[in-house]
Amino acid sequence: MQKPGQNIDFALKETSPKIGAGAVTGDKLSCTYDLVEQMHYLYVRVVKAKELPGKDVTGSCDPYVEVKLGNYRGMTKHFEKKSNPEWRQVFAFSKERIQASILEVIVKDKDVMLDDFIGGIMFDLNEIPKRVPPDSPLAPQWYRLEDRHGRKVKGELMLAVWMGTQADEAFSDAWHSDAATVGPEGVTNIRSKVYLSPKLWYVRVNVIEAQDLIPHDKTKFPEVYVKAMLGNQTLRTKISQTRTLNPMWNEDLMFVVAEPFEEPLILAVENRVAPNNDETLGRCGIPLQSVQRRLDHRPLHSRWFNLEKHIMVDGEKKEIKFASRIHLRIFLEGGYHVLDESTHYSSDLRPTAKQLWKPSIGLLEVGIISAHGLMPMKTKDGKGTTDAYCVAKYGQKWIRTRTIVDSLMPKWNEQYTWEVFDTCTVITFGAFDNGHIPGGSGKDMRIGKVRIRLSTLESDRIYTHSYPLLVFHPSGIKKTGEIQLAVRFTCLSVINMLHMYSQPLLPKMHYIHPLSVLQLDSLRHQAMNIVSARLNRAEPPLRKEVVEYMLDVDSHMWSMRRSKANFFRIMNVLSGLVAVTKWFDQICNWRNPITTILIHVLFIILVLYPELILPTVFLYLFLIGIWNFRWRPRHPPHMDTRLSHADAVHPDELDEEFDTFPTSRSPEIVRMRYDRLRSIGGRVQTVIGDLATQGERFLSLLSWRDPRATTLFLFFCLIAAVVLYVTPFQVVALLTGIYVLRHPRFRHKLPSVPLNLFRRLPARSDSLI
């Protein structure tokens, strides 16, 4: 799977993990978690205790439970002065790290100096039962506490102890022995979680007009505009052209908002009194809960809203009784898809309104197995380490695996499922170092990212690959490790899936009432900020730096490297056309006489039987497709360093890519980069000028800009019309083809007469200053 010229370290590798797909575990088919390797755990569910004896002078106790297995120990929280506490906490011990044969569950009394022993229970690991879902959870039982010598003492503890796998329902909320070094306050930051992006709407505010405005200075014509504010978003209309007290705009303002709606829409009518001096003529607040929702392009009714205005009287705010009005049409757009990620890597293309959703066409199942060869992201006790977790985003659903503490080869083995509504979507995986546990930097550092486009996956096939994690640093591209994934796309309806290819990519409102490129870019930026803020408020939070990295928030920033990569992508697309042109030139120059003669024969047949042209073209395309089937890609696409021009990028171009916006570099460096951009811009300007010149020359054939050239062209057109009227088309085509394919002996190296005429035609470049 290594591409030509690509570093083998950066290549995709096919793997053969011991996943449970089709495997039999005991007498049960392991189908729930069939895309990951099974990990066995000892589970201890501590429910509650009763009738615990008092150990303090006051006769009360502050109980907590300690679960001990070899060198690992987990503790519940303690209660103050409570003899019948309830904990309802689960502990999970990884079987592969167990080095003891006895499990101890001890109830202790919290004390200032030394915690008192109340009682305990011991379990032989060989006697612990096994549980495999979908079995019902094991019912907890009451156990009588014993002292250190095995004698029964006062007090009972309700427990459930069993051996299970990561498919167990208790797995996600359990305390894990893998994270034994993390204190109770950091446990919430290492658990696996599923998040949902907030439901996003576009808000369209059609500002129509205002009436009865009262400016402070009535002697001047007002210069009135409307300022709309929604959260951190602020937009303004243009200054009204009707400079009266009843101005008109009929202008649309677009916002992004998320459910539940927390802030009202604030509209203020302002008068431009002087530069940087605006007077508020009135304002109104509109709660979005009361706003109409539109599902299609049909217009909704407009409404008048009263504008409030306050004046200061003796230092107090007083409202003016006579209110101006503003005429608005406000609605929530349910027919658009709110773009919150880069359009090239969209994971969801459905409209906002759920009524417009079509049924799902399949399921995407992903097993996040492990990572290996990770770079140390921090230093603990003098050695480099990483506390790694993985995030995956598809549609509105985000997942975050648990954090594997202090490991450069973490094993997650967690499996997740998404509904698929369109195969022309991308799932994104990101690996991060957890910086919010003891010893962390307070910021989650990116380790790398992987994207998989669903349309490149075959149905019902399991893809198991190790993907390189690549990150750009100011020093260049670095491989920070590899992540092992298992991916399966299951099609629920082949007909619906194939029908999807005939449908528009975006909801129909994007085509009936399209938004401008600038609007989409601004709205996407606002949507990203809203999603980032909402997910950052979850528990545990999905940090802002994680969300921004997953959503490619900086993909629109200038990069010389990306510009080069895109230029060579265009050249690669055009290379096929260039190859055909070279091949045709070889045919015309009789480099291979046999091929040229065959082309002559084929050409004569197609001219004599023109009805065979289209069938021949489509048959040729069909045969090419069948021929290429043997070499079809057998693995998902991945990050290509060669395509990205990441393996040979100039250090200064890298420094420019990592520069802030606005720039923080010295004036000398900025001047050098500006001059470089001017040089590139000059070459682009020349190419665009040449294209414009050719187009203007073509237009000047009939414009009489050059009367002699136009006369010659018209004379040629008249003769051609007469000849073509009296000559059958097949004869003309046959003669033209034979002339074009003539032998080199009948050619000369000088340009042809039509080309000489075209190059002599005038263009408007002479008129440029």
PDB file of all heavy atoms in Angstrom, residues 355-384:
ATOM      1  N   GLN A 355     -38.033  16.726  10.017  1.00  0.00           N
ATOM      2  CA  GLN A 355     -39.111  16.277   9.127  1.00  0.00           C
ATOM      3  C   GLN A 355     -38.611  16.041   7.713  1.00  0.00           C
ATOM      4  O   GLN A 355     -39.241  15.320   6.943  1.00  0.00           O
ATOM      5  CB  GLN A 355     -40.232  17.322   9.081  1.00  0.00           C
ATOM      6  CG  GLN A 355     -40.844  17.646  10.435  1.00  0.00           C
ATOM      7  CD  GLN A 355     -40.211  18.853  11.094  1.00  0.00           C
ATOM      8  OE1 GLN A 355     -38.997  18.872  11.295  1.00  0.00           O
ATOM      9  NE2 GLN A 355     -41.019  19.840  11.431  1.00  0.00           N
ATOM     10  N   LEU A 356     -37.489  16.664   7.350  1.00  0.00           N
ATOM     11  CA  LEU A 356     -36.965  16.547   5.991  1.00  0.00           C
ATOM     12  C   LEU A 356     -35.930  15.435   5.847  1.00  0.00           C
ATOM     13  O   LEU A 356     -35.411  15.216   4.758  1.00  0.00           O
ATOM     14  CB  LEU A 356     -36.342  17.880   5.552  1.00  0.00           C
ATOM     15  CG  LEU A 356     -37.266  19.104   5.584  1.00  0.00           C
ATOM     16  CD1 LEU A 356     -36.499  20.353   5.195  1.00  0.00           C
ATOM     17  CD2 LEU A 356     -38.453  18.895   4.659  1.00  0.00           C
ATOM     18  N   TRP A 357     -35.612  14.743   6.936  1.00  0.00           N
ATOM     19  CA  TRP A 357     -34.610  13.686   6.877  1.00  0.00           C
ATOM     20  C   TRP A 357     -35.157  12.479   6.115  1.00  0.00           C
ATOM     21  O   TRP A 357     -36.334  12.129   6.212  1.00  0.00           O
ATOM     22  CB  TRP A 357     -34.199  13.240   8.276  1.00  0.00           C
ATOM     23  CG  TRP A 357     -33.398  14.259   9.021  1.00  0.00           C
ATOM     24  CD1 TRP A 357     -33.090  15.527   8.637  1.00  0.00           C
ATOM     25  CD2 TRP A 357     -32.819  14.085  10.315  1.00  0.00           C
ATOM     26  NE1 TRP A 357     -32.359  16.160   9.593  1.00  0.00           N
ATOM     27  CE2 TRP A 357     -32.171  15.301  10.636  1.00  0.00           C
ATOM     28  CE3 TRP A 357     -32.771  13.042  11.221  1.00  0.00           C
ATOM     29  CZ2 TRP A 357     -31.497  15.491  11.848  1.00  0.00           C
ATOM     30  CZ3 TRP A 357     -32.106  13.218  12.422  1.00  0.00           C
ATOM     31  CH2 TRP A 357     -31.466  14.438  12.719  1.00  0.00           C
ATOM     32  N   LYS A 358     -34.291  11.845   5.368  1.00  0.00           N
ATOM     33  CA  LYS A 358     -34.620  10.607   4.681  1.00  0.00           C
ATOM     34  C   LYS A 358     -34.138   9.423   5.525  1.00  0.00           C
ATOM     35  O   LYS A 358     -33.273   9.591   6.388  1.00  0.00           O
ATOM     36  CB  LYS A 358     -33.988  10.590   3.296  1.00  0.00           C
ATOM     37  CG  LYS A 358     -34.590  11.655   2.386  1.00  0.00           C
ATOM     38  CD  LYS A 358     -33.920  11.699   1.033  1.00  0.00           C
ATOM     39  CE  LYS A 358     -34.542  12.790   0.172  1.00  0.00           C
ATOM     40  NZ  LYS A 358     -33.860  12.956  -1.120  1.00  0.00           N
ATOM     41  N   PRO A 359     -34.697   8.236   5.300  1.00  0.00           N
ATOM     42  CA  PRO A 359     -34.270   7.090   6.120  1.00  0.00           C
ATOM     43  C   PRO A 359     -32.788   6.773   5.914  1.00  0.00           C
ATOM     44  O   PRO A 359     -32.213   7.068   4.862  1.00  0.00           O
ATOM     45  CB  PRO A 359     -35.157   5.946   5.635  1.00  0.00           C
ATOM     46  CG  PRO A 359     -35.679   6.380   4.307  1.00  0.00           C
ATOM     47  CD  PRO A 359     -35.742   7.865   4.330  1.00  0.00           C
ATOM     48  N   SER A 360     -32.197   6.188   6.936  1.00  0.00           N
ATOM     49  CA  SER A 360     -30.772   5.846   6.856  1.00  0.00           C
ATOM     50  C   SER A 360     -30.558   4.748   5.826  1.00  0.00           C
ATOM     51  O   SER A 360     -31.448   3.930   5.566  1.00  0.00           O
ATOM     52  CB  SER A 360     -30.251   5.397   8.224  1.00  0.00           C
ATOM     53  OG  SER A 360     -30.913   4.222   8.637  1.00  0.00           O
ATOM     54  N   ILE A 361     -29.371   4.743   5.226  1.00  0.00           N
ATOM     55  CA  ILE A 361     -29.061   3.756   4.189  1.00  0.00           C
ATOM     56  C   ILE A 361     -28.080   2.695   4.680  1.00  0.00           C
ATOM     57  O   ILE A 361     -27.784   1.744   3.955  1.00  0.00           O
ATOM     58  CB  ILE A 361     -28.482   4.447   2.933  1.00  0.00           C
ATOM     59  CG1 ILE A 361     -27.192   5.191   3.281  1.00  0.00           C
ATOM     60  CG2 ILE A 361     -29.497   5.362   2.302  1.00  0.00           C
ATOM     61  CD1 ILE A 361     -26.459   5.716   2.073  1.00  0.00           C
ATOM     62  N   GLY A 362     -27.557   2.877   5.895  1.00  0.00           N
ATOM     63  CA  GLY A 362     -26.593   1.886   6.369  1.00  0.00           C
ATOM     64  C   GLY A 362     -26.103   2.182   7.768  1.00  0.00           C
ATOM     65  O   GLY A 362     -26.536   3.143   8.421  1.00  0.00           O
ATOM     66  N   LEU A 363     -25.192   1.354   8.221  1.00  0.00           N
ATOM     67  CA  LEU A 363     -24.565   1.496   9.539  1.00  0.00           C
ATOM     68  C   LEU A 363     -23.055   1.526   9.368  1.00  0.00           C
ATOM     69  O   LEU A 363     -22.490   0.782   8.559  1.00  0.00           O
ATOM     70  CB  LEU A 363     -24.936   0.333  10.447  1.00  0.00           C
ATOM     71  CG  LEU A 363     -26.360   0.284  11.009  1.00  0.00           C
ATOM     72  CD1 LEU A 363     -26.545  -0.998  11.811  1.00  0.00           C
ATOM     73  CD2 LEU A 363     -26.636   1.488  11.897  1.00  0.00           C
ATOM     74  N   LEU A 364     -22.422   2.389  10.132  1.00  0.00           N
ATOM     75  CA  LEU A 364     -20.962   2.446  10.179  1.00  0.00           C
ATOM     76  C   LEU A 364     -20.521   1.977  11.558  1.00  0.00           C
ATOM     77  O   LEU A 364     -20.922   2.559  12.571  1.00  0.00           O
ATOM     78  CB  LEU A 364     -20.468   3.875   9.919  1.00  0.00           C
ATOM     79  CG  LEU A 364     -18.963   4.090  10.056  1.00  0.00           C
ATOM     80  CD1 LEU A 364     -18.215   3.305   8.987  1.00  0.00           C
ATOM     81  CD2 LEU A 364     -18.605   5.567   9.972  1.00  0.00           C
ATOM     82  N   GLU A 365     -19.737   0.906  11.589  1.00  0.00           N
ATOM     83  CA  GLU A 365     -19.219   0.374  12.851  1.00  0.00           C
ATOM     84  C   GLU A 365     -17.706   0.543  12.862  1.00  0.00           C
ATOM     85  O   GLU A 365     -17.033   0.218  11.876  1.00  0.00           O
ATOM     86  CB  GLU A 365     -19.591  -1.097  13.000  1.00  0.00           C
ATOM     87  CG  GLU A 365     -21.095  -1.338  13.041  1.00  0.00           C
ATOM     88  CD  GLU A 365     -21.435  -2.790  12.845  1.00  0.00           C
ATOM     89  OE1 GLU A 365     -21.494  -3.235  11.688  1.00  0.00           O
ATOM     90  OE2 GLU A 365     -21.637  -3.497  13.858  1.00  0.00           O
ATOM     91  N   VAL A 366     -17.200   1.028  13.967  1.00  0.00           N
ATOM     92  CA  VAL A 366     -15.775   1.325  14.087  1.00  0.00           C
ATOM     93  C   VAL A 366     -15.238   0.706  15.373  1.00  0.00           C
ATOM     94  O   VAL A 366     -15.832   0.881  16.445  1.00  0.00           O
ATOM     95  CB  VAL A 366     -15.525   2.847  14.095  1.00  0.00           C
ATOM     96  CG1 VAL A 366     -14.065   3.141  14.398  1.00  0.00           C
ATOM     97  CG2 VAL A 366     -15.923   3.462  12.765  1.00  0.00           C
ATOM     98  N   GLY A 367     -14.150  -0.021  15.249  1.00  0.00           N
ATOM     99  CA  GLY A 367     -13.437  -0.510  16.417  1.00  0.00           C
ATOM    100  C   GLY A 367     -12.125   0.242  16.564  1.00  0.00           C
ATOM    101  O   GLY A 367     -11.269   0.176  15.681  1.00  0.00           O
ATOM    102  N   ILE A 368     -11.997   0.993  17.648  1.00  0.00           N
ATOM    103  CA  ILE A 368     -10.749   1.712  17.944  1.00  0.00           C
ATOM    104  C   ILE A 368      -9.919   0.771  18.815  1.00  0.00           C
ATOM    105  O   ILE A 368     -10.177   0.620  20.009  1.00  0.00           O
ATOM    106  CB  ILE A 368     -11.034   3.048  18.649  1.00  0.00           C
ATOM    107  CG1 ILE A 368     -11.970   3.895  17.777  1.00  0.00           C
ATOM    108  CG2 ILE A 368      -9.735   3.802  18.930  1.00  0.00           C
ATOM    109  CD1 ILE A 368     -12.420   5.180  18.433  1.00  0.00           C
ATOM    110  N   ILE A 369      -8.956   0.118  18.187  1.00  0.00           N
ATOM    111  CA  ILE A 369      -8.275  -1.005  18.842  1.00  0.00           C
ATOM    112  C   ILE A 369      -7.120  -0.523  19.715  1.00  0.00           C
ATOM    113  O   ILE A 369      -7.122  -0.719  20.932  1.00  0.00           O
ATOM    114  CB  ILE A 369      -7.780  -2.019  17.777  1.00  0.00           C
ATOM    115  CG1 ILE A 369      -8.977  -2.542  16.979  1.00  0.00           C
ATOM    116  CG2 ILE A 369      -7.029  -3.175  18.443  1.00  0.00           C
ATOM    117  CD1 ILE A 369      -8.608  -3.417  15.802  1.00  0.00           C
ATOM    118  N   SER A 370      -6.127   0.109  19.099  1.00  0.00           N
ATOM    119  CA  SER A 370      -4.930   0.456  19.875  1.00  0.00           C
ATOM    120  C   SER A 370      -4.104   1.471  19.117  1.00  0.00           C
ATOM    121  O   SER A 370      -4.427   1.855  17.989  1.00  0.00           O
ATOM    122  CB  SER A 370      -4.086  -0.806  20.135  1.00  0.00           C
ATOM    123  OG  SER A 370      -3.621  -1.336  18.896  1.00  0.00           O
ATOM    124  N   ALA A 371      -3.047   1.914  19.746  1.00  0.00           N
ATOM    125  CA  ALA A 371      -2.027   2.745  19.100  1.00  0.00           C
ATOM    126  C   ALA A 371      -0.672   2.213  19.536  1.00  0.00           C
ATOM    127  O   ALA A 371      -0.547   1.589  20.599  1.00  0.00           O
ATOM    128  CB  ALA A 371      -2.182   4.215  19.486  1.00  0.00           C
ATOM    129  N   HIS A 372       0.334   2.437  18.717  1.00  0.00           N
ATOM    130  CA  HIS A 372       1.672   2.024  19.114  1.00  0.00           C
ATOM    131  C   HIS A 372       2.703   2.981  18.529  1.00  0.00           C
ATOM    132  O   HIS A 372       2.439   3.707  17.563  1.00  0.00           O
ATOM    133  CB  HIS A 372       1.963   0.578  18.684  1.00  0.00           C
ATOM    134  CG  HIS A 372       1.851   0.346  17.213  1.00  0.00           C
ATOM    135  ND1 HIS A 372       0.670   0.009  16.597  1.00  0.00           N
ATOM    136  CD2 HIS A 372       2.773   0.404  16.207  1.00  0.00           C
ATOM    137  CE1 HIS A 372       0.852  -0.123  15.304  1.00  0.00           C
ATOM    138  NE2 HIS A 372       2.126   0.111  15.032  1.00  0.00           N
ATOM    139  N   GLY A 373       3.856   2.978  19.171  1.00  0.00           N
ATOM    140  CA  GLY A 373       4.937   3.855  18.730  1.00  0.00           C
ATOM    141  C   GLY A 373       4.656   5.326  18.957  1.00  0.00           C
ATOM    142  O   GLY A 373       5.166   6.168  18.215  1.00  0.00           O
ATOM    143  N   LEU A 374       3.809   5.659  19.960  1.00  0.00           N
ATOM    144  CA  LEU A 374       3.484   7.059  20.200  1.00  0.00           C
ATOM    145  C   LEU A 374       4.703   7.823  20.716  1.00  0.00           C
ATOM    146  O   LEU A 374       5.527   7.284  21.470  1.00  0.00           O
ATOM    147  CB  LEU A 374       2.350   7.185  21.223  1.00  0.00           C
ATOM    148  CG  LEU A 374       0.990   6.610  20.823  1.00  0.00           C
ATOM    149  CD1 LEU A 374      -0.042   6.907  21.906  1.00  0.00           C
ATOM    150  CD2 LEU A 374       0.525   7.182  19.490  1.00  0.00           C
ATOM    151  N   MET A 375       4.796   9.073  20.295  1.00  0.00           N
ATOM    152  CA  MET A 375       5.872   9.934  20.800  1.00  0.00           C
ATOM    153  C   MET A 375       5.530  10.403  22.202  1.00  0.00           C
ATOM    154  O   MET A 375       4.364  10.692  22.495  1.00  0.00           O
ATOM    155  CB  MET A 375       6.040  11.161  19.890  1.00  0.00           C
ATOM    156  CG  MET A 375       6.785  10.902  18.605  1.00  0.00           C
ATOM    157  SD  MET A 375       6.955  12.423  17.645  1.00  0.00           S
ATOM    158  CE  MET A 375       7.855  13.440  18.806  1.00  0.00           C
ATOM    159  N   PRO A 376       6.500  10.491  23.101  1.00  0.00           N
ATOM    160  CA  PRO A 376       6.225  11.065  24.429  1.00  0.00           C
ATOM    161  C   PRO A 376       5.792  12.521  24.287  1.00  0.00           C
ATOM    162  O   PRO A 376       6.444  13.309  23.612  1.00  0.00           O
ATOM    163  CB  PRO A 376       7.575  10.954  25.155  1.00  0.00           C
ATOM    164  CG  PRO A 376       8.347   9.927  24.388  1.00  0.00           C
ATOM    165  CD  PRO A 376       7.894  10.033  22.976  1.00  0.00           C
ATOM    166  N   MET A 377       4.672  12.872  24.907  1.00  0.00           N
ATOM    167  CA  MET A 377       4.129  14.221  24.818  1.00  0.00           C
ATOM    168  C   MET A 377       4.396  15.037  26.074  1.00  0.00           C
ATOM    169  O   MET A 377       4.131  16.235  26.107  1.00  0.00           O
ATOM    170  CB  MET A 377       2.616  14.165  24.566  1.00  0.00           C
ATOM    171  CG  MET A 377       2.213  13.339  23.347  1.00  0.00           C
ATOM    172  SD  MET A 377       2.883  13.966  21.796  1.00  0.00           S
ATOM    173  CE  MET A 377       1.927  15.449  21.592  1.00  0.00           C
ATOM    174  N   LYS A 378       4.884  14.360  27.133  1.00  0.00           N
ATOM    175  CA  LYS A 378       5.156  15.065  28.395  1.00  0.00           C
ATOM    176  C   LYS A 378       6.205  14.278  29.169  1.00  0.00           C
ATOM    177  O   LYS A 378       6.576  13.160  28.776  1.00  0.00           O
ATOM    178  CB  LYS A 378       3.881  15.214  29.219  1.00  0.00           C
ATOM    179  CG  LYS A 378       3.287  13.876  29.649  1.00  0.00           C
ATOM    180  CD  LYS A 378       2.000  14.045  30.432  1.00  0.00           C
ATOM    181  CE  LYS A 378       0.862  14.449  29.541  1.00  0.00           C
ATOM    182  NZ  LYS A 378      -0.458  14.151  30.093  1.00  0.00           N
ATOM    183  N   THR A 379       6.645  14.831  30.252  1.00  0.00           N
ATOM    184  CA  THR A 379       7.656  14.180  31.091  1.00  0.00           C
ATOM    185  C   THR A 379       7.096  13.970  32.487  1.00  0.00           C
ATOM    186  O   THR A 379       6.568  14.904  33.107  1.00  0.00           O
ATOM    187  CB  THR A 379       8.932  15.033  31.170  1.00  0.00           C
ATOM    188  OG1 THR A 379       9.419  15.261  29.844  1.00  0.00           O
ATOM    189  CG2 THR A 379      10.000  14.324  31.970  1.00  0.00           C
ATOM    190  N   LYS A 380       7.187  12.722  32.991  1.00  0.00           N
ATOM    191  CA  LYS A 380       6.773  12.391  34.353  1.00  0.00           C
ATOM    192  C   LYS A 380       7.900  11.641  35.034  1.00  0.00           C
ATOM    193  O   LYS A 380       8.399  10.656  34.492  1.00  0.00           O
ATOM    194  CB  LYS A 380       5.516  11.513  34.342  1.00  0.00           C
ATOM    195  CG  LYS A 380       4.225  12.239  34.041  1.00  0.00           C
ATOM    196  CD  LYS A 380       3.052  11.265  34.163  1.00  0.00           C
ATOM    197  CE  LYS A 380       1.755  11.919  33.763  1.00  0.00           C
ATOM    198  NZ  LYS A 380       0.627  10.960  33.786  1.00  0.00           N
ATOM    199  N   ASP A 381       8.291  12.130  36.179  1.00  0.00           N
ATOM    200  CA  ASP A 381       9.361  11.476  36.955  1.00  0.00           C
ATOM    201  C   ASP A 381      10.612  11.259  36.115  1.00  0.00           C
ATOM    202  O   ASP A 381      11.267  10.209  36.188  1.00  0.00           O
ATOM    203  CB  ASP A 381       8.874  10.133  37.521  1.00  0.00           C
ATOM    204  CG  ASP A 381       7.653  10.291  38.412  1.00  0.00           C
ATOM    205  OD1 ASP A 381       7.581  11.322  39.107  1.00  0.00           O
ATOM    206  OD2 ASP A 381       6.784   9.411  38.398  1.00  0.00           O
ATOM    207  N   GLY A 382      10.921  12.235  35.267  1.00  0.00           N
ATOM    208  CA  GLY A 382      12.153  12.197  34.491  1.00  0.00           C
ATOM    209  C   GLY A 382      12.100  11.340  33.236  1.00  0.00           C
ATOM    210  O   GLY A 382      13.106  11.189  32.554  1.00  0.00           O
ATOM    211  N   LYS A 383      10.933  10.768  32.896  1.00  0.00           N
ATOM    212  CA  LYS A 383      10.843   9.967  31.673  1.00  0.00           C
ATOM    213  C   LYS A 383       9.662  10.445  30.835  1.00  0.00           C
ATOM    214  O   LYS A 383       8.655  10.931  31.344  1.00  0.00           O
ATOM    215  CB  LYS A 383      10.705   8.475  31.984  1.00  0.00           C
ATOM    216  CG  LYS A 383       9.386   8.078  32.609  1.00  0.00           C
ATOM    217  CD  LYS A 383       9.219   6.572  32.615  1.00  0.00           C
ATOM    218  CE  LYS A 383       7.819   6.198  33.095  1.00  0.00           C
ATOM    219  NZ  LYS A 383       7.539   4.774  32.962  1.00  0.00           N
ATOM    220  N   GLY A 384       9.816  10.300  29.506  1.00  0.00           N
ATOM    221  CA  GLY A 384       8.767  10.729  28.592  1.00  0.00           C
ATOM    222  C   GLY A 384       7.600   9.758  28.579  1.00  0.00           C
ATOM    223  O   GLY A 384       7.798   8.540  28.635  1.00  0.00           O
TER     224      GLY A 384
END
